[in-house]
Amino acid sequence: MKFLILACVAAVAVAAPQYSYDGPRAASSEEREFVPILKDDRVHEEDGTYNFDFEAANGIRFSQAGSPDGDEDAVIKAGEYSYTAPDGTEIHLTYVADENGFQPQGAHLPVAPEFPHQIPQFVLDQIAFAAEEDRNRARSDDSDEVSAPSGLYGHPN
């Protein structure tokens, strides 16, 4: 019985996929591209401010600076990065991250249509109708308060 259990454990160990430290997609060292790091500067000050600047030979660049100037010493960051997308498009993004959240800017990001856009007439008609109702209601509320007889609201005359 012990031999059977040992044989099963050995069979499972031999059948298990063998991965390198790069994961299951890295089949051999010839398929991996070596990318030299051209720049890697990092500075971290005692007060919590920092900055770093990174550049690789394949065109990837990343830089960021931050300081604990936000509410409750939250770190406010600003930076930029750039790289070439798989389709050949040059991507360059700048950003600020502060109490208003992450605010990226880049030519490749989608842009909302300019405002004001054309408002359909039925919407304008509905807005005018609602405004007229509000005016009428205000007038009727004013006249009810002024002309209310003293016998109303449960009070005897």
Side-chain angles (χ1 to χ4, degrees):
M1 184 68 172
K2 291 179 186 178
F3 177 73
L4 182 60
I5 293 173
L6 182 60
C8 289
V9 170
V12 169
V14 171
Q18 304 297 312
Y19 298 122
S20 67
Y21 70 92
D22 289 332
R25 294 187 187 173
S28 69
S29 61
E30 290 88 33
E31 293 180 17
R32 284 184 267 155
E33 177 186 359
F34 175 75
V35 179
I37 304 223
L38 304 176
K39 182 189 233 182
D40 188 0
D41 295 331
R42 300 166 193 243
V43 176
H44 194 110
E45 303 291 338
E46 299 265 335
D47 65 354
T49 60
Y50 71 93
N51 62 56
F52 64 83
D53 202 8
F54 172 86
E55 182 178 350
N58 62 358
I60 296 174
R61 291 184 178 93
F62 184 52
S63 63
Q64 181 173 293
S67 62
D69 294 333
D71 294 341
E72 299 177 19
D73 289 332
V75 176
I76 296 175
K77 302 174 185 182
E80 63 182 317
Y81 61 84
S82 60
Y83 63 94
T84 303
D87 68 356
T89 305
E90 292 293 322
I91 304 295
H92 182 83
L93 184 121
T94 59
Y95 63 90
V96 173
D98 59 14
E99 64 274 357
N100 297 317
F102 182 71
Q103 304 153 56
Q105 294 182 343
H108 65 288
L109 296 175
V111 178
E114 288 190 33
F115 196 83
H117 58 290
Q118 185 67 28
I119 299 175
Q121 186 59 45
F122 74 91
V123 173
L124 296 172
D125 293 343
Q126 185 63 38
I127 292 170
F129 179 74
E132 183 64 29
E133 282 186 328
D134 289 346
R135 282 191 296 276
N136 291 340
R137 185 176 306 116
R139 273 190 235 127
S140 69
D141 288 347
D142 289 343
S143 65
D144 286 347
E145 290 175 13
V146 172
S147 64
S150 60
L152 291 179
Y153 306 112
H155 295 338
N157 285 347

